[in-house]
Amino acid sequence: MSSRKKTVAQIDSSYMNQYNAHVERQKRKKQRLVRRLVLFSVIVMLAIGSMTTYHFKQRALKEEKIKQYEQLELELATLKKEESNLKEEIELLNDDEYILEIARTNYFFSKKGEIIFNNPDKDPSY
């Protein structure tokens, strides 16, 4: 059929002119609708892509913050333990008996009538 020439002529009447104008308007409406839908879908895809990218960046940031939080929690626990040890040492240093014990062991102070023998753990350097 496409190889045949069209031999039918269109009637030139006002109705046919109106019909052709109507068909042309419908074609343009359809073209505009398709263009708007394509534009809308491109905008939606860009929005979804940007939100997905943002979501994954936030997940990575959250994981990093969680690791940092856990590390700081461990550091806090060690610092609290060190604080309790230091407080205990302060309490012991307020005790005269403990101070005398330290003086006797580290600085070789002795009680009356007591003889101190120094046994070095290391070999002599001579």
Side-chain angles (χ1 to χ4, degrees):
M1 263 202 176
S2 62
S3 61
R4 282 189 187 173
K5 291 185 180 180
K6 293 186 179 181
T7 56
V8 178
Q10 198 172 19
I11 299 175
D12 193 26
S13 68
S14 65
Y15 172 76
M16 285 307 293
N17 289 338
Q18 287 176 355
Y19 179 75
N20 287 337
H22 175 70
V23 169
E24 192 64 33
R25 278 194 307 271
Q26 292 299 329
K27 267 190 199 178
R28 281 186 273 164
K29 272 185 172 180
K30 190 174 182 180
Q31 263 186 340
R32 285 192 303 254
L33 177 65
V34 168
R35 286 180 185 159
R36 278 184 274 157
L37 288 175
V38 167
L39 179 65
F40 179 72
S41 63
V42 167
I43 290 171
V44 166
M45 293 302 287
L46 286 174
I48 289 173
S50 65
M51 285 191 286
T52 303
T53 304
Y54 180 75
H55 174 72
F56 283 115
K57 284 182 182 178
Q58 290 298 315
R59 285 181 80 179
L61 183 64
K62 181 182 176 189
E63 289 175 12
E64 181 183 325
K65 293 293 181 183
I66 287 174
K67 287 179 184 176
Q68 185 180 11
Y69 177 77
E70 290 171 353
Q71 181 184 9
L72 290 174
E73 282 287 322
L74 288 174
E75 187 178 337
L76 178 66
T78 57
L79 288 174
K80 283 187 177 182
K81 189 173 184 179
E82 184 180 344
E83 179 189 20
S84 67
N85 289 341
L86 291 173
K87 283 184 179 180
E88 183 179 322
E89 188 175 343
I90 287 171
E91 288 178 17
L92 288 174
L93 287 174
N94 287 332
D95 185 20
D96 291 335
E97 294 289 325
Y98 182 74
I99 293 174
L100 288 175
E101 181 83 23
I102 290 175
R104 291 181 71 210
T105 56
N106 293 344
Y107 303 110
F108 305 112
F109 286 117
S110 63
K111 293 181 181 177
K112 284 189 176 181
E114 190 176 52
I115 300 173
I116 297 176
F117 295 101
N118 187 7
N119 294 328
D121 294 336
K122 298 180 183 178
D123 291 335
S125 58
Y126 55 91

